[in-house]
Amino acid sequence: MLNPSQWFTEQVPEAGSAFSLKIKQKLHEEQSEFQHLEIYETETFGNLMVIDGCTMVSTRDNFFYHEMISHPALFTHPEPKRVWIIGGGDCGTLREVLKHPSVEQAVQIDIDERVTRLAEIYFPELCESNNDPRADLKFIDGIKWVKDAEPNSVDIIIVDSTDPIGPALGLFSEDFYRDCFACLSENGMVVQQSESALLHMKLIGEMRGAMSTSGFKNLQTLFFPQCLYPSGWWSATIAGKGDLSQFREQDCANKPFDTTYYNADIHKAALAQPEFFKKAFNL
């Protein structure tokens, strides 16, 4: 919501909290086939994309999310060559994935093309790898894409989705995770944004349970700051066919590309589990 004093505020009634950014102007607004899209110019966070009233991405702080949903999984896999991004329409995750020299193909599957077209205009820095020959952008149903995929089709599936409502609801289901398991390669893994451990423990528990019953026996939930999202503290959960206890630390330390937040120390720190989280899931 935009109040008379020109602050965009996302309220979280169930948490009794809200997050606000001071706005210079509204740059764009439309109702796509799937969702309501708004773009604002803020005073201190650059441009801001809002989908269905929820903050999605800002110029200033998107690097936390995009780096942490991609690099930990890619450095945990022994040799990621084929990566699918389900959602991710702003293309920031695609950019991070394609920084890895081992990646031969990165397919981004987002149902709403308008998100990508607006990102190309208002977040061009996130879209700088869209024309990479390894990139393939598809604007179709990601759930159906995974269901129809052949076995051994992909090494890593990154689920870069909105909250589990509307078009994204099916991405948090046991059926979807079973389809992911079926098409992943031997050491394959799926990584998905898993909301805030401070506000959404029930959802995280349901996700981890559905991943486990779908065949994934190795799970990791990692934590990182994200001030734009409710509570300012976010997470991603990795479900792997193979062992997730080690990552390619030396490769990470010598990575041939720049990051803003992620490095080997951050990778290790992100996997430290809070005491309440350990107790909740008997870790």
Side-chain angles (χ1 to χ4, degrees):
M1 58 181 290
L2 193 63
N3 63 34
S5 59
Q6 295 300 298
W7 288 79
F8 177 85
T9 299
E10 179 184 349
Q11 297 180 353
V12 189
E14 64 272 20
S17 66
F19 178 77
S20 297
L21 286 174
K22 196 166 187 183
I23 300 300
K24 285 186 178 180
Q25 60 177 324
K26 179 181 283 187
L27 300 173
H28 185 84
E29 181 175 9
E30 68 175 84
Q31 177 67 44
S32 77
E33 182 181 351
F34 302 98
Q35 49 206 351
H36 186 241
L37 308 172
E38 298 167 276
I39 308 288
Y40 295 96
E41 180 187 3
T42 74
E43 289 210 352
T44 57
F45 273 67
N47 287 346
L48 170 70
M49 179 182 287
V50 175
I51 297 180
D52 288 338
C54 299
T55 56
M56 285 295 123
V57 61
S58 82
T59 305
R60 182 175 181 180
D61 79 334
N62 73 81
F63 61 88
F64 290 111
Y65 179 94
H66 289 135
E67 292 182 9
M68 294 303 289
I69 203 171
S70 55
H71 300 309
L74 269 81
F75 276 116
T76 299
H77 193 283
E79 191 179 14
K81 294 182 177 181
R82 300 162 297 174
V83 179
W84 296 346
I85 302 162
I86 310 299
D90 60 51
C91 303
T93 300
L94 177 68
R95 180 189 67 177
E96 296 304 312
V97 166
L98 288 172
K99 290 179 178 180
H100 290 254
S102 69
V103 173
E104 298 173 356
Q105 180 196 51
V107 184
Q108 178 178 291
I109 308 105
D110 193 304
I111 199 169
D112 195 345
E113 183 175 358
R114 290 303 301 155
V115 175
T116 297
R117 299 310 171 206
L118 291 176
E120 289 171 341
I121 298 169
Y122 298 107
F123 301 90
E125 69 282 3
L126 299 184
C127 300
E128 60 189 25
S129 295
N130 287 16
N131 294 321
D132 187 302
R134 298 171 295 163
D136 182 5
L137 276 63
K138 298 183 182 299
F139 302 105
I140 56 176
D141 183 351
I143 296 173
K144 186 176 187 302
W145 169 269
V146 172
K147 179 178 286 294
D148 294 344
E150 296 292 326
N152 196 37
S153 298
V154 61
D155 299 317
I156 297 177
I157 300 173
I158 300 174
V159 186
D160 179 1
S161 70
T162 56
D163 296 337
I165 55 174
L169 182 60
L171 296 171
F172 292 77
S173 71
E174 184 176 328
D175 286 345
F176 175 70
Y177 299 136
R178 287 191 187 279
D179 292 337
C180 288
F181 189 91
C183 66
L184 282 165
S185 58
E186 180 181 0
N187 293 302
M189 59 189 71
V190 57
V191 54
Q192 182 168 15
Q193 73 88 7
S194 47
E195 309 278 305
S196 170
L198 191 64
L199 304 180
H200 308 115
M201 281 292 284
K202 182 175 183 291
L203 172 68
I204 295 174
E206 291 171 349
M207 281 182 63
R208 290 174 63 99
M211 287 171 165
S212 294
T213 56
S214 301
F216 295 101
K217 299 308 178 188
N218 300 296
L219 303 178
Q220 285 183 339
T221 297
L222 54 94
F223 305 94
F224 54 94
Q226 191 66 59
C227 61
L228 202 67
Y229 294 166
S231 85
W233 186 43
W234 218 242
S235 72
T237 297
I238 304 174
K241 282 187 167 183
D243 180 28
L244 301 177
S245 63
Q246 302 294 324
F247 72 107
R248 301 185 343 263
E249 185 172 351
Q250 198 60 42
D251 289 347
C252 179
N254 297 316
K255 57 183 170 48
F257 54 84
D258 290 331
T259 50
T260 303
Y261 181 71
Y262 176 82
N263 57 34
D265 289 335
I266 288 293
H267 187 127
K268 288 182 281 189
L271 293 175
Q273 307 292 289
E275 200 66 14
F276 75 86
F277 199 87
K278 287 183 177 183
K279 291 177 180 177
F281 301 119
N282 296 314
L283 303 179

